[in-house]
Amino acid sequence: MGYWVIKKEEYLKELMQENALWQAVLGQIELSVSRGNYMTWFKNTQLIKNKDGVVVVGVPNVFVKNQLERKFNDLISQTLSSNGIKAERIEYKIHTGIPPQVKLDDVVLKNPGQGAQEAAKPTRSADSMHPVYRLGLNERYTFENFIVGSSNELAYAACQAIVKKPGDKYNPLFIYGGVGVGKTHLIQAVGNAVMAAKPNARVVYTSSEQFLREFIDALRKKTTTDFAKFHRGADVWIVDDVQFLAGKEKVQEEFFHTFNNLYQVNKQIIMSSDKPAKDIPTLEERLRSRFSQGMTIDMQTPDFETRCAILHAKAMSQDIDLPQETAEFLAGRTQSNVRELEGSLNQVLAYCEVHSAQPTIQVVTAMYETRRSRPKHLSSRHIIERTARHFHISIEEILGPKRDKDIVVPRQVAMYMLRSELHLSFPKIAHELGRKDHTTAIHSIGKIEKELSYETPIKQHVIELREGLYA
Ligand code: ADP
Ligand code: MG
């Protein structure tokens, strides 16, 4: 990474004094709750204010806030009191920064090779263009429901800084990391936060695949001028999964021009990729150098504690209080990918729903035991057949090429079932359903897993199918 971080000593000293007291309180709390609880709910908190009987505790996200309010308020109040602070009221506030050791706004960031950029005036206002900006943003992805840990705190901090001042310090921002580490979530959160702060902002979120698709479409319809205008009119231009530009020369050229246009007028550019720019094969050199012009951040798989916190958060968003042991069990089993982690939680919750049980560690271990000794008849073929029958379509249709919605959905459900019941690999699942490309399986399964977070008809189908399989 081409940047240095220099911490301001003074700033740190001040913070330490303010928080010395809070550290004492935390030290005491650590002794009275389990380690898991401490790590999940207390570790990243800080004292923001202590004045006139009001204590304000800074917390990293809404889930910690809820949990501290609901479960630990008395404990905190008592511990404060035994440290000489009589709090009449304790407030929990989500602090938009993150723990002081990595708060980027308070550190000096230098980027070698990036000269001062004079802002060129945009030549025309883009307001007159049809403003379907905000298209592509999913409101589900927010900073508030993003759990911060050491694996993603830099990316998180940079994204937050961008919301405060788009087009300023971290431009372009290039985030890379493996599948399911939270790249899309985070860059979408930027878009949503910018829109919340400035409803008129022109935020474009697109994937490079969509960019390509629409570009080809525009070529065909001879509307490339509109296409270019739309993208070049963005205030914040977010492009997900730029690795898919590899090898596509014509679209790389369009991308390059859009990029330059936006960059010249200091518009914010954010890109994600599953690998660093230098490792994307057949990416034009000029794009490669553009990508690494600003800030490049590597997002890692969340560590164990963060995975536990994510599980708690996801469960809580469905009003379920996940026991710490269950969270630890699941976080231990799924190590690489947050999407899979969510998937395993959803399986547990679906199982509990079917069996009217609570997700205690006993229930969950029993569930995994049953899985291991699954009935012999559960083969891929059997699952695919059952799924087709359940949705009243034929086996030819589910395995065939048709892309009608009433066939695509059952196909996606079948892929999900192969994953959840037989734990098949993505390529194997794609193969079983007659697909060549395993990313189809990843997308399909991800889509169904998302549906399972809500009370959707699909969730009901999955529950019924699963009941049928094990009946
Ligand atoms: P990527 O784009 O890196 O493949 P996503 O952003 O799609 O990953 O994340 C996969 C899933 O995991 C999403 O549902 C996302 O909300 C969730 N997720 C990932 N990281 C976090 C996190 N730190 N906190 C909460 N949810 C997360
Ligand atoms: Mg993504």
Side-chain angles (χ1 to χ4, degrees), residues 70-174:
R70 281 181 7 196
K71 277 190 128 173
F72 295 108
N73 193 53
D74 287 349
L75 174 67
I76 294 171
S77 169
Q78 283 156 16
T79 319
L80 278 168
S81 155
S82 71
N83 281 276
I85 302 173
K86 288 265 172 286
E88 279 158 35
R89 198 172 77 234
I90 307 177
E91 287 171 14
Y92 302 92
K93 261 212 170 110
I94 298 163
H95 54 101
T96 47
I98 47 170
Q101 60 270 27
V102 285
K103 202 168 163 190
L104 282 186
D105 275 355
D106 295 293
V107 302
V108 181
L109 247 137
K110 269 195 172 176
N111 192 334
Q114 186 175 23
Q117 195 82 25
E118 267 301 301
K121 270 255 175 300
T123 46
R124 51 158 299 187
S125 144
D127 284 340
S128 52
M129 290 163 4
H130 76 124
V132 270
Y133 298 96
R134 123 140 282 156
L135 223 66
L137 284 181
N138 182 337
E139 288 174 7
R140 236 167 54 83
Y141 296 122
T142 64
F143 284 120
E144 283 205 337
N145 63 17
F146 188 82
I147 307 295
V148 184
S150 57
S151 60
N152 55 29
E153 60 194 0
L154 260 180
Y156 181 84
C159 284
Q160 288 228 317
I162 284 174
V163 173
K164 287 202 194 109
K165 229 170 164 205
D168 192 35
K169 258 187 291 187
Y170 314 112
N171 201 23
L173 176 67
F174 187 90

Side-chain angles (χ1 to χ4, degrees), residues 46-58:
Q46 50 182 294
L47 188 63
I48 293 180
K49 198 170 118 185
N50 168 27
K51 215 174 160 197
D52 309 327
V54 180
V55 167
V56 180
V57 177

